[in-house]
Amino acid sequence: MNAYDEIIGAVLREPSLYEKVRFLSPGDFVQDDHIQIWGAIRESVSEGHDPTPERIAASTFLDDQDLPRRLIHRASANVDALIRQARLISEERSRGRAITLTREALKKLEDRSNPQWRDVTKSLSDNLVSETPTGRSMTANEVQKQLLRRLDRQVSTRIPTGLRALDARLGGGLHPGTLTMLGAFGKTGKTTLCATISYNMEAANIPHLMACLERGGTEVEELKTARRLGCKGFDLGKYKDKIAALAPAKRCCHYVHDTAMTVDDLRHEILYHRRRHGIVAALIDFWQLIQGKEKGESLDAHLTRVAQRLQATSVDADIPIFMTSQLSDNGRSRDSSAALTASNLFLILHRDKDASEAWMETIVSNITDELDIGSIGSPQFILDREAGPHFRDITTL
């Protein structure tokens, strides 16, 4: 399957991908069928309609009216590869047009009888600039369609965490296409909370990815297994026979652990597991441990880039990403400005040292009202140290 077939098939199958390759024009395609189909896709999107195979076939003069449907079945869902292919095609076609324009201009410049050579060079410069697509502009219909898709996702899909107070605050669970960040002091329970949510998701048969950047997957699995057995994690060695005798269960969690993992590594893992294993959520513990700071890049710029890249990944994969963050001693999130800028929801987990009760403070949100989940005087969660440990709801909602 060639790149042109791949791009068209992927967009027809998942129209939201069009926004990633909208800089392509019909002239970037070679075959007449491709040119017709891409032109029809652009027109359909600009009018606010999804480019369905039926709509495309009806608005083109294809010899093979079933071609759009066949391209859908043959296309993959690799978003990054799709974007790379589209950029290569656009660059190559732009290069070809630039070469043609330059050759035509050179012919005119070599004609010594032409006194308007300065006009020729200016025209060449203007034409070269105009030949470069920016992909920045969008019609109002396209933007409205994006809004409707986002609203449809928000209304129809939530991914429950299994913590009733948190899920109730989120309208049923985590929102697909969003980045939720949770800050906490050291030893407050960042990893324990991730393990709690992962356990709850498995109990609800929700496939998800758990990226363990602070502790390995075995340490998170230890918390989950101890909770299942109703014992403390550090006592798990006494129950090896019970662990071996546990009834086989369908597991819905995939672990990733690497102390040198970059944001591009994480993006690859999320998109790969989304495509290959159908995950519908990703948990990351924790933000400041993501590597890959570029030469000359400040730590704040690095972490901002990381958070923004993960937020974009949540949109591309159409899943929620839940990521923990380390709080500094003054109660602020380390590099908090970056977190507040990139995250859709930023919470702080409050739990006093040696206490079991906990609550969550909402720092910023563009997906819910900025109301806290509990308070000092009315905590909503408790750290159950007898099983795992793990967090559970205090009140019954």
Side-chain angles (χ1 to χ4, degrees):
M1 189 173 191
N2 62 44
Y4 302 100
D5 289 342
E6 179 76 25
I7 291 168
I8 290 174
V11 170
L12 288 175
R13 184 171 60 189
E14 179 46 66
S16 64
L17 291 178
Y18 174 77
E19 304 307 328
K20 305 295 180 184
V21 294
R22 61 188 308 276
F23 52 83
L24 288 175
S25 68
D28 289 324
F29 294 81
V30 178
Q31 296 179 16
D32 181 65
D33 285 348
H34 291 152
I35 294 172
Q36 285 193 62
I37 292 174
W38 194 252
I41 288 174
R42 280 165 56 108
E43 174 128 7
S44 179
V45 172
S46 68
E47 292 175 352
H49 303 298
D50 279 341
T52 63
E54 296 77 15
R55 183 183 297 276
I56 299 305
S59 59
T60 55
F61 298 95
L62 300 174
D63 293 332
D64 182 359
Q65 290 287 298
D66 198 44
L67 177 60
R69 191 174 299 281
R70 285 207 313 278
L71 292 178
I72 289 177
H73 294 312
R74 294 163 56 190
S76 72
N78 190 324
V79 177
D80 285 343
L82 178 75
I83 296 171
R84 284 196 300 270
Q85 289 172 339
R87 285 176 177 162
L88 286 173
I89 289 172
S90 180
E91 285 294 316
E92 191 58 33
R93 297 293 287 176
S94 293
R95 187 194 304 273
R97 288 191 289 268
I99 291 171
T100 299
L101 289 169
T102 303
R103 284 174 176 167
E104 292 174 352
L106 285 173
K107 286 181 181 179
K108 294 178 180 178
L109 289 172
E110 289 170 352
D111 182 2
R112 295 185 178 277
S113 64
N114 183 1
Q116 307 298 326
W117 65 272
R118 286 186 176 86
D119 292 338
V120 173
T121 57
K122 184 179 183 303
S123 177
L124 173 61
S125 176
D126 291 343
N127 287 335
L128 289 176
V129 171
S130 66
E131 280 294 322
T132 305
T134 65
R136 297 189 186 102
S137 64
M138 297 177 67
T139 69
N141 281 330
E142 290 177 282
V143 175
Q144 184 182 63
K145 194 68 176 179
Q146 281 187 335
L147 172 62
L148 290 173
R149 286 199 188 100
R150 179 165 65 84
L151 293 175
D152 284 342
R153 287 198 304 270
Q154 289 178 355
V155 171
S156 63
T157 307
R158 292 287 190 275
I159 308 301
T161 66
L163 293 168
R164 293 187 300 276
L166 176 58
D167 289 339
R169 189 69 195 81
L170 292 171
L174 300 170
H175 298 217
T178 65
L179 172 64
T180 295
M181 295 184 66
L182 181 130
F185 292 108
K187 307 304 180 183
T188 300
K190 297 186 306 296
T191 303
T192 300
L193 183 65
C194 280
T196 297
I197 294 174
S198 178
Y199 181 99
N200 294 344
M201 285 184 173
E202 286 210 78
N205 293 319
I206 297 173
H208 63 282
L209 182 71
M210 176 74 225
C212 309
L213 307 184
E214 181 178 27
R215 305 185 193 179
T218 54
E219 294 186 51
V220 174
E221 186 68 12
E222 175 184 288
L223 293 173
K224 292 161 69 174
T225 303
R227 177 180 174 184
R228 186 179 179 189
L229 292 175
C231 68
K232 299 176 181 178
F234 55 76
D235 285 336
L236 205 56
K238 303 175 184 178
Y239 299 91
K240 287 191 294 183
D241 292 340
K242 286 189 176 182
I243 296 173
L246 286 173
K250 179 183 177 182
R251 302 302 301 271
C252 302
C253 177
H254 295 264
Y255 290 103
V256 173
H257 173 63
D258 188 341
T259 56
M261 189 168 288
T262 68
V263 67
D264 287 330
D265 294 333
L266 278 169
R267 175 178 170 83
H268 168 77
E269 293 293 345
I270 291 169
L271 293 176
Y272 171 80
H273 282 81
R274 171 63 165 160
R275 185 173 63 252
R276 186 67 181 270
H277 301 292
I279 64 166
V280 297
L283 312 175
I284 302 173
D285 184 44
F286 62 89
W287 180 39
Q288 287 91 347
L289 293 181
I290 298 173
Q291 303 299 305
K293 187 166 80 71
E294 297 175 353
K295 185 177 180 180
E297 185 179 41
S298 68
L299 181 60
D300 183 67
H302 162 66
L303 290 173
T304 298
R305 177 172 58 82
V306 165
Q308 291 174 339
R309 183 72 163 155
L310 288 173
Q311 201 284 327
T313 300
S314 72
V315 174
D316 292 339
D318 195 24
I319 66 171
I321 295 178
F322 182 93
M323 179 165 64
T324 57
S325 170
Q326 180 78 41
L327 289 180
S328 59
D329 292 338
N330 63 7
R332 298 279 293 174
S333 174
R334 295 176 186 172
D335 315 288
S336 58
S337 61
L340 299 181
T341 299
S343 60
N344 300 99
L345 172 64
F346 190 88
L347 303 167
I348 290 182
L349 176 67
H350 291 280
R351 184 177 69 83
D352 291 337
K353 185 178 180 181
D354 299 326
S356 297
E357 296 79 8
W359 61 283
M360 294 180 185
E361 179 184 4
T362 302
I363 303 301
V364 67
S365 175
N366 61 19
I367 55 175
T368 66
D369 294 329
E370 293 186 8
L371 298 176
D372 297 335
I373 307 171
S375 64
I376 295 176
S378 180
Q380 293 295 302
F381 312 99
I382 190 164
L383 181 64
D384 186 339
R385 292 183 172 87
E386 298 304 313
H390 73 281
F391 283 97
R392 57 179 174 80
D393 291 277
I394 291 179
T395 58
T396 301
L397 301 177

